[in-house]
Structure formats: C-alpha cells, structure tokens
Amino acid sequence: QVQLAQSGGGLVQAGGSLRLSCAASGDSFSTYHMAWFRRAPGKEREFVARISSTGTYTGYAESVQGRFTISKDVGKNTAYLQMDSLKPEDTAVYYCAAGGTYATDAGLYYNWGQGTQVTVSS
C-alpha cells in the first residue's frame, strides 16, 4: 500500500498554469503506475493523465492533450501534473491515484489522494 498526499491547485485565470503534486509514502513507489482524474461539478469522474511505473509511457485525455504534462520523480516519491493553458472547463477537483495497472479506468487504481480543487476563471 502507498499513501498519497496532494498539494497545489487553487484559483487561476484562463490561460494560466498550475502544478499539482502527489507525494507518496509507503513502499515501492517506483513500482506503481500513477494517474490523475478529475470530477467537475455535476459530472462524473474522468480520466486526465497516466504514467507508467518507470515513467516510460504517458497518456492523456483528448481534452488535455498538449496542455497537461504528467511526470514522476521516483527519487522524491512524487508525481506531478503540470497544467498549462488552463480553461474554465478544467475547473474540477483533481485526484491522483496509484495502482498496479497502467490504465484509464479509475476502478483499477486502489490508492487515492485526498483531492485538490482547481478553479479556472474566465
């Protein structure tokens, strides 16, 4: 098991940037695939980005492709989501997740961060 603690987020104007961090404690962070999901008001939780355990592979939702970058620093036991060119429709609570499968399905991740609010004003 790994425990995840998120930081970052907040309020930003459209076109701005934010970086979310997800610090892991526990064992074997380097063996976990990581992902970010988000839940906007009144909407279902959706996949945002994923990264393989070694950092070799990444994948993004079409809505954030080219604007968001997921990364993983094994030495710091931390995953990141760099969000650039933010849009009002990116407003949501963002969650990091860790699991044993490199997946876009939230059900395949079994360790979750506490969530952090990102609000993008127009």
Side-chain angles (χ1 to χ4, degrees), residues 7 18 23 25 27 31 33 38 45-46 57 60 64 67-68 73-74 76 97 104 113 115 122:
S7 60
L18 285 173
S25 59
D27 56 315
T31 67
H33 305 292
R38 67 186 181 187
R45 179 174 53 189
E46 65 174 354
Y57 302 103
Y60 299 90
V64 307
R67 300 188 297 120
F68 289 13
D73 187 332
V74 174
K76 294 184 177 180
T104 61
S122 57

Short mmCIF file of all heavy atoms in Angstrom, two decimals, residues 7 18 23 25 27 31 33 38 45-46 57 60 64 67-68 73-74 76 97 104 113 115 122:
data_model
loop_
_atom_site.label_atom_id
_atom_site.label_comp_id
_atom_site.label_asym_id
_atom_site.label_seq_id
_atom_site.Cartn_x
_atom_site.Cartn_y
_atom_site.Cartn_z
N SER A 7 -0.88 18.26 -3.13
CA SER A 7 -0.71 19.68 -2.88
C SER A 7 -0.76 20.41 -4.21
O SER A 7 -0.67 19.80 -5.27
CB SER A 7 0.61 19.95 -2.15
OG SER A 7 1.71 19.50 -2.92
N LEU A 18 -0.84 25.84 -13.50
CA LEU A 18 -0.76 25.33 -12.14
C LEU A 18 -0.02 24.00 -12.18
O LEU A 18 -0.05 23.31 -13.19
CB LEU A 18 -2.15 25.11 -11.53
CG LEU A 18 -2.96 26.31 -11.07
CD1 LEU A 18 -4.36 25.87 -10.67
CD2 LEU A 18 -2.26 27.02 -9.91
N ALA A 23 2.53 13.37 -3.37
CA ALA A 23 3.64 12.76 -2.65
C ALA A 23 3.22 11.42 -2.06
O ALA A 23 2.18 11.32 -1.40
CB ALA A 23 4.13 13.69 -1.55
N SER A 25 3.97 7.99 0.29
CA SER A 25 4.70 7.38 1.39
C SER A 25 4.29 5.92 1.46
O SER A 25 3.20 5.54 1.04
CB SER A 25 4.39 8.08 2.72
OG SER A 25 3.01 8.01 3.01
N ASP A 27 5.59 1.84 0.65
CA ASP A 27 6.60 1.04 -0.02
C ASP A 27 6.46 1.04 -1.54
O ASP A 27 5.37 1.18 -2.07
CB ASP A 27 6.53 -0.42 0.49
CG ASP A 27 5.16 -1.02 0.31
OD1 ASP A 27 4.17 -0.34 0.63
OD2 ASP A 27 5.06 -2.17 -0.15
N THR A 31 7.23 1.11 -8.26
CA THR A 31 6.54 0.03 -8.94
C THR A 31 5.09 0.38 -9.30
O THR A 31 4.42 -0.40 -9.97
CB THR A 31 6.51 -1.24 -8.07
OG1 THR A 31 5.71 -1.01 -6.91
CG2 THR A 31 7.92 -1.64 -7.64
N HIS A 33 2.07 2.41 -11.13
CA HIS A 33 1.60 3.29 -12.20
C HIS A 33 0.77 4.39 -11.54
O HIS A 33 0.05 4.14 -10.57
CB HIS A 33 0.76 2.53 -13.21
CG HIS A 33 1.45 1.33 -13.79
ND1 HIS A 33 2.54 1.45 -14.64
CD2 HIS A 33 1.21 0.01 -13.65
CE1 HIS A 33 2.94 0.24 -15.00
NE2 HIS A 33 2.15 -0.65 -14.41
N ARG A 38 -10.25 13.69 -12.53
CA ARG A 38 -10.91 14.90 -12.03
C ARG A 38 -12.41 14.71 -12.03
O ARG A 38 -12.95 13.90 -12.78
CB ARG A 38 -10.52 16.12 -12.87
CG ARG A 38 -11.03 16.10 -14.31
CD ARG A 38 -10.46 17.29 -15.09
NE ARG A 38 -10.95 17.33 -16.45
CZ ARG A 38 -10.51 18.17 -17.39
NH1 ARG A 38 -9.55 19.05 -17.09
NH2 ARG A 38 -11.02 18.14 -18.60
N ARG A 45 -16.61 11.44 -12.57
CA ARG A 45 -15.16 11.48 -12.52
C ARG A 45 -14.60 11.05 -13.88
O ARG A 45 -15.12 10.12 -14.50
CB ARG A 45 -14.64 10.53 -11.44
CG ARG A 45 -13.14 10.46 -11.30
CD ARG A 45 -12.76 9.61 -10.10
NE ARG A 45 -13.40 8.30 -10.13
CZ ARG A 45 -13.36 7.44 -9.12
NH1 ARG A 45 -12.73 7.76 -8.00
NH2 ARG A 45 -13.94 6.26 -9.22
N GLU A 46 -13.56 11.73 -14.34
CA GLU A 46 -13.00 11.38 -15.64
C GLU A 46 -11.48 11.28 -15.57
O GLU A 46 -10.82 11.95 -14.77
CB GLU A 46 -13.39 12.42 -16.70
CG GLU A 46 -12.84 13.80 -16.47
CD GLU A 46 -13.14 14.75 -17.64
OE1 GLU A 46 -13.68 14.30 -18.68
OE2 GLU A 46 -12.82 15.94 -17.51
N TYR A 57 6.07 5.51 -20.29
CA TYR A 57 4.85 5.74 -21.07
C TYR A 57 3.94 6.74 -20.37
O TYR A 57 3.81 6.72 -19.15
CB TYR A 57 4.10 4.42 -21.27
CG TYR A 57 4.92 3.36 -21.94
CD1 TYR A 57 5.48 2.31 -21.21
CD2 TYR A 57 5.16 3.41 -23.31
CE1 TYR A 57 6.25 1.34 -21.82
CE2 TYR A 57 5.94 2.44 -23.93
CZ TYR A 57 6.47 1.42 -23.18
OH TYR A 57 7.24 0.46 -23.79
N TYR A 60 -2.88 10.71 -22.18
CA TYR A 60 -3.71 11.84 -21.80
C TYR A 60 -5.11 11.74 -22.38
O TYR A 60 -5.31 11.17 -23.46
CB TYR A 60 -3.07 13.15 -22.29
CG TYR A 60 -1.70 13.39 -21.72
CD1 TYR A 60 -0.55 12.92 -22.36
CD2 TYR A 60 -1.54 14.08 -20.52
CE1 TYR A 60 0.71 13.13 -21.82
CE2 TYR A 60 -0.29 14.30 -19.97
CZ TYR A 60 0.83 13.81 -20.63
OH TYR A 60 2.08 14.03 -20.08
N VAL A 64 -7.13 17.31 -22.68
CA VAL A 64 -5.97 17.98 -22.07
C VAL A 64 -4.68 17.75 -22.85
O VAL A 64 -3.64 18.31 -22.50
CB VAL A 64 -5.77 17.52 -20.61
CG1 VAL A 64 -7.06 17.70 -19.81
CG2 VAL A 64 -5.26 16.10 -20.51
N ARG A 67 -1.68 20.24 -23.41
CA ARG A 67 -1.72 21.32 -22.39
C ARG A 67 -1.23 20.83 -21.03
O ARG A 67 -0.66 21.61 -20.26
CB ARG A 67 -3.15 21.85 -22.24
CG ARG A 67 -3.73 22.43 -23.51
CD ARG A 67 -5.07 23.12 -23.25
NE ARG A 67 -6.09 22.19 -22.76
CZ ARG A 67 -6.71 22.30 -21.59
NH1 ARG A 67 -6.41 23.29 -20.76
NH2 ARG A 67 -7.63 21.40 -21.24
N PHE A 68 -1.47 19.57 -20.72
CA PHE A 68 -1.09 18.99 -19.43
C PHE A 68 0.08 18.04 -19.62
O PHE A 68 0.18 17.37 -20.65
CB PHE A 68 -2.25 18.22 -18.81
CG PHE A 68 -3.38 19.07 -18.31
CD1 PHE A 68 -3.51 20.40 -18.64
CD2 PHE A 68 -4.36 18.50 -17.50
CE1 PHE A 68 -4.57 21.17 -18.19
CE2 PHE A 68 -5.43 19.25 -17.03
CZ PHE A 68 -5.53 20.59 -17.38
N ASP A 73 8.77 11.59 -10.27
CA ASP A 73 10.13 11.66 -9.75
C ASP A 73 10.27 10.59 -8.68
O ASP A 73 9.83 10.77 -7.54
CB ASP A 73 10.39 13.06 -9.17
CG ASP A 73 11.84 13.25 -8.77
OD1 ASP A 73 12.51 12.26 -8.44
OD2 ASP A 73 12.28 14.41 -8.78
N VAL A 74 10.88 9.48 -9.06
CA VAL A 74 10.99 8.36 -8.13
C VAL A 74 11.86 8.73 -6.94
O VAL A 74 11.60 8.32 -5.81
CB VAL A 74 11.54 7.12 -8.87
CG1 VAL A 74 11.80 5.99 -7.89
CG2 VAL A 74 10.56 6.68 -9.94
N LYS A 76 12.04 11.47 -5.40
CA LYS A 76 11.27 12.28 -4.46
C LYS A 76 9.94 11.62 -4.11
O LYS A 76 9.13 12.19 -3.38
CB LYS A 76 11.01 13.66 -5.05
CG LYS A 76 12.26 14.49 -5.24
CD LYS A 76 11.92 15.90 -5.74
CE LYS A 76 13.18 16.74 -5.87
NZ LYS A 76 12.87 18.11 -6.36
N ALA A 97 -3.85 9.03 -8.25
CA ALA A 97 -4.12 7.64 -7.93
C ALA A 97 -2.91 6.79 -8.28
O ALA A 97 -2.16 7.11 -9.21
CB ALA A 97 -5.35 7.15 -8.70
N THR A 104 -6.71 3.65 -17.77
CA THR A 104 -7.52 4.86 -17.72
C THR A 104 -8.77 4.65 -16.87
O THR A 104 -9.52 5.59 -16.63
CB THR A 104 -7.94 5.31 -19.12
OG1 THR A 104 -8.72 4.28 -19.73
CG2 THR A 104 -6.73 5.59 -20.00
N GLY A 113 -5.32 9.97 -3.61
CA GLY A 113 -5.07 11.17 -2.86
C GLY A 113 -6.37 11.78 -2.37
O GLY A 113 -7.46 11.32 -2.72
N GLY A 115 -7.63 14.71 -2.97
CA GLY A 115 -8.28 15.63 -3.90
C GLY A 115 -7.87 17.06 -3.63
O GLY A 115 -7.60 17.45 -2.49
N SER A 122 -12.74 32.80 -16.01
CA SER A 122 -12.70 33.29 -17.39
C SER A 122 -12.41 34.78 -17.45
O SER A 122 -12.40 35.47 -16.46
CB SER A 122 -14.03 33.00 -18.07
OG SER A 122 -15.09 33.58 -17.35
#
